[in-house]
Amino acid sequence: MARLALSLFGPPRIECDGMQVNTDTRKAVALLAYLAMTQQPHSRDTLAALLWPEYDQPHARATLRRTLSALHKALPGTWLRIDRETIGLQRQETFWLDIEEFNLSMTAYRAHHKQADETCATCLASLNRAVELYKDDFMAGFTLADSAPFDDWQFYQSDSLRRELALALEQLVLRYSRRGEFGIAITHARRLLALDRLHEPAYRYLMQLYAWSGQRASAMQQYRECVKMLSEELGVAPLESTTDLYAALRENRLPSPPASYEPVAAEVSASRGAPREELLIPLVPSGGYPMVGRQQEWLALLSLYAEKALAGYIIGLEGEAGIGKTRLAEEFVAYARSRGSSAVAVRCYEGEVDLAYGPIAAGLRMAISQQRETDWHKQLAPHWLSEAARLLPELLSLRPDLPAPLPLDSPGAQSRFFEGLRQVWLVLCAPARATTPGLLFFDDIHWADDTSLEFLSYLTRRLAEQPLCLLLSWRNTQRSISQQFHRLLADAQRSGKAQLFLLERLNRATVEELLQQLPAVGFELLPELTGQLYQETEGVPFFLTEYLTALTRGVLKANDEEWSLPGGVRDLLVSRLASIGETSLQLLGTAATIGRSFDFDTLREVSGRSEEETVSGLEELIDQGLVEEIRVQESRELNRRPALRNYVANGERSPIYDFCHEKVRSLVYDEITLARRRLLHRRTAEFQVTRLRGQRETGALAGQIAHHYEAAGQIAVAADYFYQAGVYARSLYAHTEALAHLRAALALGYPDPAALQENIGDLHTFLGVYEAALKSYQLAETLYEAAPRRGKLEHKQGTIYERRGKWAEAEQHFAAALRFFEQEGQEDLSEEQARVYADWSLTAHHHGQNEHARAYAQRALELAERAGNTRALAQAHNILGILANSRKEMEMAYFHLQRSLELAENLRDPGMRAAALNNLALAYKASGDIAQAIILTETALVLCSSQGDRHREAALHSNLADLLHAADQTDEAMRHLKLAARIYTAIDVEAGDMRPEIWRLVEW
């Protein structure tokens, strides 16, 4: 059997047994490429519409038959599978497609790298095979001038493959860097940069690789090229990480190459003492899950340890419980020990807050055990060892000849005692080498007793010029640390002897990074897993690792919609709740019922507590880090948490409160009995209604009120408020939120289901979910009895079919709408009839029925003038302008479209204005005034985007892309084309076989 090879990387090439196959037409090549890439048969109508979109169906199918015949003759053997309705590629063992080989190589890499190290030869082979196959972009240089749908498909295939190539190149850069093969890494990095000249990480890779390979001038040149490119193309400066790397290059303090490549044995630069660290390699700790999101803090810790700690330095790590303070500190301690440092780690415990010098004694005993084989005690003056023996009597066994310490009531007794302890610490933590200062780590210092904090204050004041790094961690939500200690740290910061790090929660991108770095796990890494993990954990590292552990062990399932709380997370939260008083716990339960955020007045009223009790309880909850106070007068807080705006009423901006984590709220809420929950929900709803009484606008809080009434069991009232919330959200063009509210009202038995279904259909139409919209309109029509209402619904269904390019179905619904409006005994409905005729005219125009289109448009204008309705007049003039433009009667087109725009502006209707502006822009484009057309289209796009009409928004992006391309603004045109395509692919997807007409909306 002949071997058929199809190469689509670069200009398409067809070979049979090594000989090139030529076809008569480009359409035959496009057809073969489409069948090979999609790997499935397609209907003749689909292929005809894809390749000949400008033809009507009979002519398109006839041309397809001729193209099939030519392709069949050119290909030896039976490679095409053709029947009366479908066409496909008969894939055989001797068929070869370079794209398919590329995808197989990338799949093999992904499957293998999860259980392989970063220098795996198998992974390298798969990646090298992939980039070798990628000769050029997908079907480079090949276009079909008269087939926009095929060009769109080709563009998306090319974009997807380029992203895969970028991934492969980046992995090759990292892996060859780790192997020390910098020349090969540079080759791949340069190709990665050629893909996207604005890809800043590629510049950083090249800067570092050139420097490691001894080409410092080339490394510096890469930075200058990066600055120039970003400035010219985007008008921005490089990222901080890029400028930091440039500074390191300029000052000759670039970190050494990876460990597998060791041209330089020194671990610390003699000039600056910079720690050895691979910027290309993420921090991977000694055990457990990879540490992500802390690279900046890690590098800072290493730098401070190398450059500052020899002269005494304090490092503070603060953050909420579970944020990863201990994990980061433990990795730092391990790093220090690996360099020969005498490092001691001590943990403070909540149950030992009354145990005097508890953590100090524990730390000293640990340090002594580490020095058991040495004569460390001989380095100390006897009187200092004698003072320390007050706390550690076992020291007396080391030096039986120690003098008795002075009485405790003698002057300066405490200072002598503290100094004795300090001297012992300095000896025990003395550096083994000149470059490795000692490290003393106190974890959870907020639980330390007062006497221990006094000693640490004494130690920090005398830390200068001592080779000791003092590392402390504490919860920033805990207020039990003495103010004296905080002041001392602040003074040390001002003098340059301390630095504090506030650890923030991980963002969603970092959670995704962690998942990508995981080794083989016992659950499927679904694409939506990142979002679910981030939502559940809110970026708290401890929560994240607990959820991952539960997933690995099968306690949780990756495909479950809801996850139970892992045991470790529950234990942590329960321990935090156990320490608060009864009143505070009752207030916390009330707050959990109100919601994630709550204000003081609602909490006091719903809980039934006095003002003083509420204040005291809130202070305790804040002190324990369970609740935080948010001052909404800070605009950044309002921007970061839009939900807080609901609490700003009548211009008053008082502080409100927020749970530190949703899991705290849900755990507390679950512990409340059902009867009390209903009571608290009812009280909350009634208080919010009372507060809003007399205000004109209640929609902003209607959704919250509805939720509380539903939870309280008052279903009918809840349904009414859900409807109000939906109407309010729709007025703000928040379509998805409006849908959720209206569906809730429908489920709760709202008394006017027909109106609800019609509203739901309108929202689906805006979102481009046309199949669902039709179902809602049809259901509403069965519920309505009045002919005018049914006529309006037939009209709306017709407009959906018009958007989808189903002209015959659209005309049927328009005719049905007119029949309802013209029924005997109905009041004059000239306005409604005018709007139907206007839309019918547009359908006829798109269907090529020009005479019908003109007649319908004229009828629309007559009826609109009879009704004297501004909206109908605007629509009639709009369609007359479209028709005049299609006939090249530009003066008439300008007249009608400008009149439509004036009427729409008087109505303040953004949808009508956007339509008139778009069609006027098309008229200017036809006249050659591209600049004015761009201005009008950009204005229309802003209006349409604000209204949330996704289909028309995509059309405007597409129209604007054409205009910008005509104005030689290629990059901006491509940006809008990508935005258009992204929206188009999401429209009407539930209908199955997407019609090309969805992509060809231009005017309306």
Side-chain angles (χ1 to χ4, degrees):
M1 183 177 292
R3 180 179 186 272
L4 181 64
L6 181 58
S7 301
L8 297 180
F9 280 127
R13 181 180 177 87
I14 309 170
E15 292 183 357
C16 184
D17 288 338
M19 300 296 292
Q20 184 168 350
V21 176
N22 296 314
T23 61
D24 293 341
T25 67
R26 297 172 67 85
K27 293 291 178 71
V29 176
L31 175 60
L32 180 60
Y34 187 75
L35 293 175
M37 289 292 293
T38 56
Q39 301 184 22
Q40 65 181 34
H42 297 274
S43 69
R44 289 175 177 264
D45 287 344
T46 297
L47 295 173
L50 176 74
L51 298 174
W52 294 276
E54 301 301 322
Y55 291 11
D56 58 24
Q57 187 182 47
H59 285 88
R61 288 184 65 125
T63 310
L64 174 63
R65 285 194 296 273
R66 289 193 294 271
T67 301
L68 277 172
S69 176
L71 183 59
H72 188 68
K73 290 178 182 178
L75 298 177
T78 55
W79 289 102
L80 296 178
R81 185 171 66 249
I82 304 172
D83 58 34
R84 292 181 60 84
E85 293 300 328
T86 63
I87 300 167
L89 184 65
Q90 188 76 40
R91 298 174 66 87
Q92 302 170 19
E93 292 181 358
T94 55
F95 176 75
W96 184 89
L97 175 64
D98 56 353
I99 307 293
E100 188 171 281
E101 292 296 314
F102 174 89
N103 290 331
L104 287 173
S105 295
M106 293 302 297
T107 301
Y109 156 70
R110 286 189 170 93
H112 195 265
H113 93 99
K114 293 182 179 179
Q115 62 250 15
D117 60 32
E118 294 300 318
T119 56
C120 170
T122 302
C123 292
L124 277 175
S126 297
L127 292 168
N128 278 313
R129 174 61 174 159
V131 300
E132 179 185 357
L133 285 164
Y134 199 112
K135 305 296 185 184
D136 201 344
D137 286 343
F138 178 71
M139 300 183 74
F142 184 91
T143 59
L144 297 180
D146 59 346
S147 178
F150 181 87
D151 284 346
D152 292 337
W153 172 80
Q154 180 183 339
F155 167 79
Y156 269 99
Q157 296 297 322
S158 178
D159 186 61
S160 175
L161 290 167
R162 281 172 67 90
R163 287 198 298 271
E164 284 290 275
L165 175 63
L167 169 65
L169 290 171
E170 190 163 22
Q171 285 299 314
L172 286 171
V173 170
L174 294 173
R175 290 165 185 269
Y176 278 116
S177 297
R178 290 183 175 95
R179 291 163 64 99
E181 300 181 44
F182 300 138
I184 302 176
I186 288 172
T187 300
H188 292 305
R190 294 203 64 84
R191 188 174 176 187
L192 177 63
L193 184 60
L195 278 179
D196 182 2
R197 300 298 298 181
L198 300 177
H199 187 54
E200 205 166 333
Y203 287 102
R204 291 197 294 272
Y205 293 152
L206 284 168
M207 290 165 66
Q208 195 163 33
L209 288 166
Y210 276 130
W212 280 345
S213 58
Q215 304 177 61
R216 186 171 180 275
S218 297
M220 305 289 279
Q221 180 62 29
Q222 286 303 313
Y223 177 77
R224 288 190 285 270
E225 288 182 14
C226 177
V227 173
K228 179 182 178 182
M229 188 62 63
L230 292 175
S231 176
E232 290 178 352
E233 298 295 326
L234 301 178
V236 298
L239 295 172
E240 185 178 357
S241 55
T242 307
T243 56
D244 287 347
L245 181 57
Y246 173 67
L249 283 169
R250 191 180 58 225
E251 297 170 14
N252 289 320
R253 54 182 178 86
L254 186 73
S256 303
S260 58
Y261 182 75
E262 292 286 351
V264 180
E267 290 186 338
V268 180
S269 169
S271 60
R272 294 296 300 264
R276 181 178 176 280
E277 181 67 20
E278 301 85 69
L279 296 183
L280 287 175
I281 315 302
L283 168 64
V284 180
S286 56
Y289 292 102
M291 187 181 295
V292 296
R294 299 289 182 245
Q295 189 74 8
Q296 183 177 355
E297 291 85 354
W298 176 253
L299 294 176
L301 286 175
L302 299 183
S303 178
L304 291 171
Y305 183 68
E307 299 180 8
K308 303 282 189 180
L310 282 170
Y313 204 74
I314 305 169
I315 299 175
L317 303 176
E318 59 176 322
E320 62 181 299
I323 201 65
K325 305 180 295 297
T326 302
R327 175 70 181 279
L328 180 60
E330 286 176 346
E331 293 301 328
F332 183 51
V333 170
Y335 169 81
R337 286 174 177 165
S338 70
R339 296 168 60 87
S341 171
S342 299
V344 177
V346 183
R347 174 164 294 175
C348 305
Y349 297 96
E350 182 178 4
E352 298 178 0
V353 291
D354 296 325
L355 181 61
Y357 300 108
I360 306 300
L364 283 169
R365 290 190 171 100
M366 184 182 299
I368 291 170
S369 68
Q370 293 175 0
Q371 300 284 353
R372 185 177 294 113
E373 304 301 325
T374 68
D375 292 329
W376 66 270
H377 53 87
K378 293 181 179 179
Q379 303 175 43
L380 276 170
H383 60 282
W384 294 134
L385 204 56
S386 177
E387 289 292 340
R390 295 180 189 271
L391 183 61
L392 301 176
E394 59 266 32
L395 294 179
L396 296 174
S397 63
L398 297 175
R399 296 275 294 272
D401 58 338
L402 289 178
L406 294 175
L408 287 175
D409 55 356
S410 61
Q414 187 184 48
S415 295
R416 289 193 303 274
F417 174 54
F418 281 179
E419 183 60 23
L421 293 177
R422 188 178 80 92
Q423 291 295 334
V424 171
W425 273 120
L426 292 176
V427 170
L428 289 170
C429 294
R433 295 185 293 177
T435 58
T436 55
L439 178 62
L440 182 55
F441 168 45
F442 283 92
D443 193 15
D444 287 342
I445 196 68
H446 52 274
W447 295 128
D449 59 283
D450 290 340
T451 55
S452 294
L453 290 174
E454 285 185 43
F455 169 71
L456 287 177
S457 297
Y458 180 90
L459 178 63
T460 54
R461 284 193 295 269
R462 291 158 179 80
L463 200 59
E465 306 310 320
Q466 301 295 332
L468 180 64
C469 179
L470 186 61
L471 179 63
L472 308 170
S473 75
W474 65 89
R475 293 180 190 171
N476 60 342
T477 56
Q478 212 75 22
R479 300 183 180 181
S480 56
I481 304 178
S482 68
Q483 291 301 311
Q484 176 188 359
F485 189 72
H486 277 299
R487 285 195 298 271
L488 185 119
L489 290 175
D491 290 341
Q493 281 184 284
R494 283 193 293 272
S495 64
K497 300 298 292 182
Q499 183 163 337
L500 307 185
F501 294 93
L502 176 61
L503 301 188
E504 303 284 356
R505 294 183 180 183
L506 306 179
N507 56 32
R508 178 166 178 160
T510 310
V511 174
E512 184 173 4
E513 179 187 348
L514 172 61
L515 289 178
Q516 291 172 350
Q517 292 187 25
L518 287 178
V521 293
F523 57 90
E524 185 178 359
L525 294 176
L526 301 171
E528 60 271 18
L529 186 62
T530 300
Q532 190 171 1
L533 272 173
Y534 182 71
Q535 181 179 357
E536 291 284 331
T537 65
E538 297 183 16
V540 177
F542 175 76
F543 287 14
L544 186 58
T545 57
E546 287 293 312
Y547 272 92
L548 287 173
T549 300
L551 286 165
T552 303
R553 295 176 178 173
V555 178
L556 301 179
K557 302 297 182 183
N559 54 357
D560 287 348
E561 292 186 5
E562 293 188 9
W563 287 338
S564 58
L565 202 61
V569 177
R570 177 177 290 275
D571 291 345
L572 174 64
L573 297 181
V574 169
S575 68
R576 296 178 66 185
L577 293 172
S579 60
I580 63 175
E582 182 181 349
T583 300
S584 299
L585 188 59
Q586 190 258 328
L587 284 169
L588 197 64
T590 303
T593 308
I594 297 171
R596 176 68 184 267
S597 300
F598 54 95
D599 65 291
F600 179 86
D601 290 338
T602 304
L603 180 64
R604 176 181 52 80
E605 184 70 24
V606 176
S607 68
R609 294 286 180 176
S610 67
E611 186 172 6
E612 181 63 33
E613 287 175 320
T614 306
V615 169
S616 299
L618 279 172
E619 287 178 342
E620 183 179 4
L621 295 174
I622 293 170
D623 184 50
Q624 294 297 322
L626 298 168
V627 166
E628 58 181 329
E629 185 179 72
I630 308 296
R631 298 188 179 276
V632 297
Q633 62 264 30
E634 298 180 15
S635 59
R636 60 186 177 86
E637 287 295 342
L638 286 173
N639 292 332
R640 186 165 66 93
R641 309 182 191 203
L644 301 184
R645 297 178 188 273
N646 294 336
Y647 291 95
V648 184
N650 300 323
E652 180 182 352
R653 295 190 172 185
S654 58
I656 64 169
Y657 304 90
D658 191 71
F659 278 86
C660 68
H661 199 286
E662 172 58 25
K663 294 306 175 187
V664 175
R665 191 204 69 80
S666 60
L667 180 63
V668 173
Y669 184 80
D670 289 343
E671 296 299 319
I672 304 173
T673 63
L674 178 59
R676 178 159 289 278
R677 280 189 209 170
R678 288 195 168 192
L679 172 65
L680 293 174
H681 280 297
R682 180 178 57 78
R683 285 182 179 179
T684 304
E686 290 173 348
F687 180 72
Q688 289 177 338
V689 170
T690 302
R691 173 186 282 180
L692 291 172
R693 191 166 292 147
Q695 297 185 26
R696 291 190 304 172
E697 187 59 76
T698 63
L701 287 178
Q704 292 183 28
I705 295 171
H707 160 72
H708 288 298
Y709 271 126
E710 181 184 14
Q714 299 189 16
I715 303 303
V717 183
D720 182 62
Y721 275 102
F722 272 126
Y723 178 76
Q724 292 182 46
V727 171
Y728 177 75
R730 183 177 177 182
S731 71
L732 300 177
Y733 305 116
H735 301 319
T736 303
E737 184 180 341
L739 267 175
H741 290 313
L742 294 178
R743 284 170 174 161
L746 189 65
L748 295 179
Y750 185 74
D752 189 356
L756 278 181
Q757 291 289 0
E758 183 175 0
N759 273 281
I760 290 171
D762 293 344
L763 293 167
H764 280 309
T765 302
F766 274 115
L767 294 171
V769 189
Y770 293 145
E771 202 68 26
L774 287 171
K775 291 177 181 177
S776 292
Y777 286 146
Q778 290 162 4
L779 185 54
E781 189 174 350
T782 63
L783 296 172
Y784 278 130
E785 295 183 0
R789 296 304 311 168
R790 299 178 69 184
K792 289 181 180 179
L793 288 166
E794 287 288 343
H795 182 195
K796 289 181 178 181
Q797 292 174 69
T799 60
I800 290 180
Y801 282 112
E802 197 280 329
R803 287 181 179 225
R804 299 172 82 173
K806 296 185 176 182
W807 320 122
E809 291 91 333
E811 290 182 343
Q812 290 173 7
H813 284 284
F814 291 145
L818 290 174
R819 286 195 297 272
F820 277 118
F821 291 144
E822 293 167 358
Q823 282 186 13
E824 185 178 354
Q826 297 294 329
E827 66 272 19
D828 184 32
L829 295 171
S830 299
E831 170 198 348
E832 298 296 340
Q833 294 171 322
R835 300 188 67 188
V836 172
Y837 275 113
D839 284 329
W840 198 344
S841 173
L842 182 65
T843 299
H845 167 61
H846 287 157
H847 203 183
Q849 300 173 351
N850 297 327
E851 292 303 320
H852 285 97
R854 295 180 69 175
Y856 293 149
Q858 194 59 44
R859 180 60 175 157
L861 181 62
E862 293 170 0
L863 289 167
E865 288 175 341
R866 179 198 300 175
N869 183 270
T870 305
R871 190 179 305 277
L873 281 168
Q875 192 171 354
H877 281 291
N878 181 59
I879 185 58
L880 285 167
I882 291 174
L883 298 178
N885 186 30
S886 70
R887 298 191 303 271
K888 307 300 182 185
E889 298 173 359
M890 303 315 299
E891 185 175 347
M892 185 65 69
Y894 286 135
F895 166 76
H896 284 297
L897 292 172
Q898 287 169 348
R899 179 58 180 153
S900 177
L901 181 58
E902 291 171 3
L903 293 167
E905 288 174 343
N906 291 335
L907 284 171
R908 297 183 178 180
D909 184 330
M912 190 69 71
R913 286 181 63 199
L917 286 166
N918 172 64
N919 297 324
L920 192 56
L922 293 174
Y924 277 108
K925 176 187 177 183
S927 300
D929 192 345
I930 301 298
Q932 182 63 21
I934 290 175
I935 293 172
L936 293 173
T937 307
E938 288 176 338
T939 306
L941 180 57
V942 171
L943 289 169
C944 204
S945 299
S946 68
Q947 193 183 22
D949 192 326
R950 299 293 286 158
H951 196 169
R952 291 177 176 174
E953 181 184 346
L956 285 165
H957 277 298
S958 180
N959 290 353
L960 187 54
D962 291 341
L963 292 168
L964 291 167
H965 180 74
D968 293 328
Q969 300 181 39
T970 307
D971 290 343
E972 188 66 9
M974 184 57 67
R975 185 177 73 85
H976 282 283
L977 186 60
K978 289 179 180 178
L979 290 171
R982 188 180 305 158
I983 300 173
Y984 276 136
T985 55
I987 292 173
D988 209 22
V989 293
E990 81 283 5
D993 184 18
M994 184 187 298
R995 293 180 63 87
E997 287 79 4
I998 290 289
W999 295 65
R1000 300 214 315 267
L1001 180 66
V1002 175
E1003 57 196 2
W1004 58 89

